[in-house]
Every structure is written in structure tokens, then in C-alpha cells.
Amino acid sequence: MNNLKDFYDYLNQSLSSNIQYRDLSNLCLTLFCNVSVLPETFQSLKLDKESLANIFSKIAKEKMIPSYPSTASLYGASFHNTYDKGHWLEVMASILKMGNEPDTKEAEKLLVSSSPAGTNEIK
């Protein structure tokens, strides 16, 4: 596992079907700033803002995140639909424009890593 498709599959499987927009946005910000919350398998991936934006727009659609959530304005991202990569680019830009910092500990709680026995456990 070392490509973006595997990474997308990992995230999509790890995240609950009822994940909230705010949690997904925080995870996006966290991964934009720091990949150390990921299993080692994915830490060497080139996760640039374009890749992350594409992945998060697909996850938002898959998880049926509201298209224009009211809390999007907290991230300066209320101009684009959450299913559009432009929305997630704005979320990531909020760290520069608005000084938003991710809550890494909350992001870690959302992720699942594979245990040696092959079962899933919280990282």
C-alpha cells in the first residue's frame, strides 16, 4: 500500500459513515500540516494540497457531507460545494488566512490502523 488510491481507501474505510463536517475539515487540516498521525505505510506519500483536496472532495460525497454546511465559514470555505476540490483547498488555506490550527489529537481518533493480526484498531 503506497499510492493515493490505497490512501483514499484507507481514509474512507477509517471514517464513520456519519462523520461530521467539522471533524472531516479538521482531519484535512491536520494532514495538510502533519502526516505523522498516519500509519507509517502512508507517511511517505506525496500528499500535496491538490491530492488532499481531491481525496477529501470524494470522501465528502461518499459520506454525504452537506454540500454547503453552515460551519464552512469557520474555514473560509463557504464559496464552494464540499464535493468540489476548491472547497478543500479553501479549508487548507484557512491555516494561512485565518490562523486555524488543526486539533491533531481529535484527527488521530478518526483514523484506523491495521494491527499485526490484520484486525482494525484505533490508532
Side-chain angles (χ1 to χ4, degrees):
M1 276 197 282
N2 61 4
N3 65 39
L4 291 176
K5 166 107 176 62
D6 291 335
F7 178 64
Y8 165 79
D9 291 343
Y10 162 76
L11 281 182
N12 201 30
Q13 179 185 16
S14 295
L15 302 173
S16 73
S17 59
N18 62 349
I19 189 169
Q20 299 298 305
Y21 170 78
R22 195 170 193 146
D23 292 329
L24 192 60
S25 296
N26 181 60
L27 179 60
C28 181
L29 267 180
T30 299
L31 295 177
F32 178 61
C33 296
N34 182 1
V35 295
S36 69
V37 298
L38 294 173
E40 284 184 37
T41 306
F42 298 115
Q43 289 183 14
S44 63
L45 277 178
K46 182 181 181 214
L47 293 175
D48 59 24
K49 64 183 179 182
E50 293 290 324
S51 299
L52 285 170
N54 283 326
I55 288 169
F56 276 84
S57 65
K58 290 176 186 173
I59 288 174
K61 189 171 188 175
E62 178 74 25
K63 303 295 184 185
M64 294 187 282
I65 297 293
S67 303
Y68 291 96
S70 59
T71 52
S73 61
L74 297 173
Y75 300 95
S78 52
F79 298 110
H80 298 278
N81 182 317
T82 59
Y83 305 161
D84 181 74
K85 77 174 191 175
H87 179 88
W88 299 99
L89 290 169
E90 289 293 324
V91 167
M92 288 179 274
S94 73
I95 201 160
L96 303 171
K97 295 188 304 186
M98 304 171 86
N100 289 341
E101 289 193 29
D103 184 337
T104 305
K105 293 211 182 297
E106 286 301 313
E108 280 183 298
K109 292 177 186 177
L110 300 173
L111 300 176
V112 174
S113 63
S114 296
S115 70
T119 59
N120 286 337
E121 62 182 26
I122 302 287
K123 180 177 191 285

